[in-house]
Amino acid sequence: IQKANLSSVVLQLKSMNIQDPLSFDFMDPPPKASLIRALELLYALQALDSSGKLTNLGRNLARLPVDPMYARCIIMSAELKCAQDILAIVAMINCDSTIFLTPSHTKEEARQAHSRFFSPYGDHQTMLSVYKSWNGTPHKQRKAWCRENYLNPRALSKAHDIFKQLLQQSSR
């Protein structure tokens, strides 16, 4: 907790009606500057109003089991008609595993396989490309597809589970 982004912690405290996270009795208190940065971020995301109270949007952000910035993206994506893509990107970011595999004995083949997914628009679009390709592959062929493309099948399966969870949570 000493070095972590505290915006999720502060948002959860606020959602539990703990109005002053600066005076909350943490077992290991984080630096006050980190708590203030978290409050500022939540204000910028419109999760808190000018008096530091949780907004309706903030309550909705607190319902989603991801960082508040990603939660804000998910909520906005519904309005912008790109929810499925944003959910997939957030799921890929949150799967906590390496997506791309690069075995030392086949580095060049792995790089060539990975290059099929690369997007000039950045890593998020690259991850979306991987997820969409994996998701479009018949279920029984996914392990072989991952082997051919030097991708981690467990990570992609976990990302898909996260996607489904986020889809369910965001549609409430």
Side-chain angles (χ1 to χ4, degrees), residues 30-31 85 93 153 160:
D85 288 352
I93 290 169
H160 186 61

Side-chain angles (χ1 to χ4, degrees), residues 1-13 16 21-38:
I1 199 163
Q2 290 289 330
K3 295 181 182 181
N5 174 354
L6 297 176
S7 58
S8 291
V9 173
V10 171
L11 183 61
Q12 291 306 313
L13 289 172
M16 295 184 295
L22 294 172
S23 61
F24 183 74
D25 189 21
F26 290 97
M27 283 179 60
D28 243 343
K32 292 240 188 265
S34 296
L35 288 169
I36 291 169
R37 277 194 303 277

